[in-house]
Amino acid sequence: MDPVPATPSASSAITLKVNGEKHTLPVDHRTTLLDALRERLDLTGTKKGCDQGQCGACTVLLDGRRAVACLQLAVAAEGREITTIEGVAEEGGQLHPVQQAFLDLDGYQCGYCTPGQICSAVAVIEEHAAGWPSAVTGDVRPEAGSPPLTAEEIRERMSGNLCRCGAYVSIVQAVARAAAAHGSTTETTETTGAAAASAAGGAAA
C-alpha cells in the first residue's frame, strides 16, 4: 500500500513589520494583507471597499510603494516595510503634509476613501520627485526631467483611487499643495469650499 502523502500545512506563523512595529501571528496562507491588518492587528484605518483591487480604499505602502492590500497575501508581505494610514503621521504625532492639506482643503468628504487616497498621495509625490513618468507625461526622456505636477498628472497618478463623493477637485488641490511643500513643481490653482464642490463633477469626468 502506497503511503498517504503528507498534507501541506495551510497556515504559518509570520512576522509583519507594520508602522515600524513587528507583529508575529499565525495566518492561513490565503489570508490577505488587508484582512490581517484589520482583523488580526485591529488596524482598521485601511478600508475594505470592493475587495477586488479596483477602488483603492485599501491602499497601503509596501517598502514605500503603493499596493492594494486586498490583492496582497499576508505571507508575501513578511519582511517588508508596511505603512498604513495609522503610520503616515510624522514623529511626535504631527500630521503628514498630505494629511494636513486634505484637512485644510476639505479633501476628506465622507472619509471612507481617505486613508487609501492619502497613502497613494504620499507615494505619488515621492514617485514624481524621483522623476517617474505617468501615462499622461508628454516627454518621457530621462533628460527631460520631472514634468510639472499638473492637475492632469495628479488625476492620472491617483486614478487607482475612487472617491464616491466625487471630491476630486479638493483631493487634487490637496495633493498639489503637499507636493509643492515637498519641493515639486506644480501647476494647479487652489479652489476651496463651494467653488471646489461645484467643480467636482467636471473633475471626475
Side-chain angles (χ1 to χ4, degrees):
M1 183 176 180
D2 296 333
V4 177
T7 302
S9 173
S11 63
S12 297
I14 64 172
T15 299
L16 298 177
K17 187 175 183 181
V18 187
N19 302 329
E21 295 185 13
K22 292 184 177 180
H23 305 268
T24 299
L25 63 162
V27 296
D28 186 294
H29 293 165
R30 297 162 294 183
T31 302
T32 65
L33 178 59
L34 174 60
D35 287 338
L37 292 172
R38 287 182 56 85
E39 297 175 11
R40 306 297 301 280
L41 301 179
D42 293 328
L43 293 170
T44 55
T46 304
K47 303 305 183 188
K48 178 175 283 192
C50 66
D51 215 16
Q52 298 179 17
Q54 297 181 2
C55 73
C58 64
T59 301
V60 298
L61 303 179
L62 285 181
D63 297 332
R65 298 185 62 177
R66 294 177 280 173
V68 283
C70 71
L71 297 185
Q72 181 81 29
L73 292 176
V75 293
E78 186 173 29
R80 304 180 68 179
E81 295 281 349
I82 304 165
T83 304
T84 69
I85 190 63
E86 291 91 346
V88 167
E90 299 178 348
E91 290 186 7
Q94 182 176 358
L95 292 179
H96 187 281
V98 172
Q99 292 175 302
Q100 189 64 56
F102 268 66
L103 181 63
D104 293 342
L105 298 173
D106 198 21
Y108 286 116
Q109 302 299 306
C110 82
Y112 196 84
C113 72
T114 304
Q117 296 272 8
I118 288 177
C119 285
S120 278
V122 169
V124 160
I125 292 170
E126 294 294 337
E127 291 165 7
H128 177 262
W132 293 14
S134 77
V136 299
T137 301
D139 189 346
V140 298
R141 295 174 301 160
E143 57 269 29
S146 297
L149 196 56
T150 62
E152 183 182 22
E153 282 277 356
I154 293 172
R155 289 191 182 102
E156 169 58 28
R157 293 171 189 264
M158 295 288 293
S159 61
N161 294 78
L162 302 179
C163 173
R164 291 169 177 80
C165 303
Y168 295 108
V169 170
S170 298
I171 292 172
V172 168
Q173 298 301 341
V175 175
R177 178 188 284 190
H182 189 266
S184 296
T185 302
T186 61
E187 290 183 0
T188 63
T189 301
E190 287 190 1
T191 54
T192 59
S198 65

